[in-house]
Amino acid sequence: MNLPALTTVDRFLQPLVATTLLLGLLILWDGTYDQSCVALASPALVYFAILYGLLEYRLERKRFAVDYYLDRESAWRRRLRGTWVPVLVSMTAALPLAVFLAVFVALSRPTDWLFLAAAAVAAPFLFEGSSRWPGRHFRRDADASGRAVTVADILSARLAGWVLLALVAVAYVYFNYMVIGGPPYIYPDSLQLTVEAFMAGVHSACPVVDGGLRAAAGIEGIAWYAVTGTAMAPWMPDGIRVVVWIGFFLNVALAITGFVRGLEGSILVAKRIVDRNRKEATDVE
């Protein structure tokens, strides 16, 4: 195999390994959340992947705003070049995304994994595609803070993430709700039986996980009961019906968003590690 082909395979392999590891953490969480609180280590690592993706993008946005809008001699420029505000904002934004994703995975049906696996495989290809265009027009240099990833990497990852988010969300809504159909344990004549059926298979030896997942399962049961019954009733006003459907899809939307942001973060982490190792190896030589 010639050198260009090896380089192409290498470019795809790095992010693919990273996204596969992220998917593996979710699979591990799905298989261990019912055992002990130690299982929370898996969603914690997923949280850091989401955090890293959000943080790199917010740092780049802040750097652009400070450098573009503020004069070089301004005291505000020196004060705002710090990273504590983007870090706090990113930590706050990443937490609900990680929580919704962890709940989604724990309560997932087997078909849900098809969408997560497809997203994990598609993300590196979309990242490579966006890196070629429009990514080839972005700056390839890192800023003065010494960050290993470049502006082009950050923007390419975010562009690929938005495309992937749209594709997965549309595919999930269409196939999971219109083709595959809803869960079999919905009782049209009894909300109580529906909620009990959704909560029946949820349990964990960790009190925090058990309480949180059982509450989430109950809410999911109420949502399914509403959209398959009340929201479809002819007497329901159109405005209320739209609100019910938006609330129903919000949980899935946040979970998918969290997964996509985690994929972005894992790709950027892989880029940072590989590029830094290459630089160190070059410096040694």
Side-chain angles (χ1 to χ4, degrees):
M1 187 178 291
N2 55 28
L3 185 59
L6 285 172
T7 303
T8 301
V9 172
D10 187 49
R11 284 201 308 266
F12 280 110
L13 187 60
Q14 297 166 13
L16 183 60
V17 170
T19 57
T20 302
L21 287 175
L22 182 70
L23 182 65
L25 287 173
L26 294 177
I27 294 174
L28 180 63
W29 161 249
D30 183 50
T32 60
Y33 73 85
D34 60 336
Q35 297 176 14
S36 71
C37 292
V38 177
L40 288 170
S42 297
L45 293 175
V46 174
Y47 167 78
F48 283 112
I50 298 173
L51 171 61
Y52 187 78
L54 293 175
L55 180 59
E56 285 289 2
Y57 183 70
R58 290 185 179 276
L59 285 173
E60 185 56 38
R61 287 178 58 188
K62 182 191 73 66
R63 185 202 63 79
F64 168 79
V66 170
D67 290 348
Y68 184 82
Y69 289 108
L70 296 181
D71 187 85
R72 293 183 180 276
E73 303 301 324
S74 171
W76 281 102
R77 181 186 175 94
R78 293 189 296 272
R79 294 170 185 171
L80 294 177
R81 288 186 69 87
T83 61
W84 65 273
V85 173
V87 168
L88 289 178
V89 173
S90 299
M91 290 177 65
T92 303
L95 184 59
L97 295 179
V99 171
F100 274 93
L101 178 57
V103 172
F104 174 79
V105 168
L107 303 180
S108 63
R109 294 184 288 166
T111 53
D112 292 340
W113 290 100
L114 298 176
F115 301 97
L116 296 181
V121 173
F125 292 92
L126 291 173
F127 173 72
E128 177 64 20
S130 62
S131 296
R132 291 177 179 272
W133 190 90
R136 71 171 181 266
H137 300 289
F138 299 145
R139 287 173 37 226
R140 291 284 168 181
D141 56 316
D143 63 20
S145 64
R147 287 153 55 207
V149 294
T150 66
V151 177
D153 294 331
I154 297 168
L155 296 182
S156 296
R158 179 49 64 96
L159 285 174
W162 280 119
V163 173
L164 182 62
L165 179 59
L167 293 175
V168 175
V170 171
Y172 188 90
V173 170
Y174 176 75
F175 287 102
N176 212 41
Y177 298 137
M178 300 180 183
V179 177
I180 300 174
Y185 34 85
I186 300 175
Y187 298 87
D189 299 326
S190 176
L191 174 61
Q192 180 179 352
L193 290 177
T194 301
V195 172
E196 290 176 353
F198 271 81
M199 296 175 59
V202 179
H203 61 85
S204 174
C206 180
V208 175
V209 175
D210 185 71
L213 291 182
R214 287 181 64 82
I219 295 173
E220 185 177 4
I222 295 173
W224 273 105
Y225 180 84
V227 298
T228 56
T230 306
M232 301 298 293
W235 52 264
M236 174 66 68
D238 291 339
I240 304 283
R241 183 180 289 111
V242 170
V243 172
V244 172
W245 279 102
I246 290 175
F248 177 67
F249 290 128
L250 184 61
N251 174 47
V252 173
L254 289 173
I256 294 176
T257 300
F259 186 57
V260 171
R261 295 294 174 250
L263 292 174
E264 294 174 14
S266 63
I267 289 174
L268 292 177
V269 168
K271 287 283 297 180
R272 177 170 185 160
I273 293 174
V274 172
D275 291 347
R276 178 167 293 179
N277 289 340
R278 283 177 178 172
K279 184 178 183 302
E280 292 177 353
T282 303
D283 293 341
V284 170
E285 294 176 357

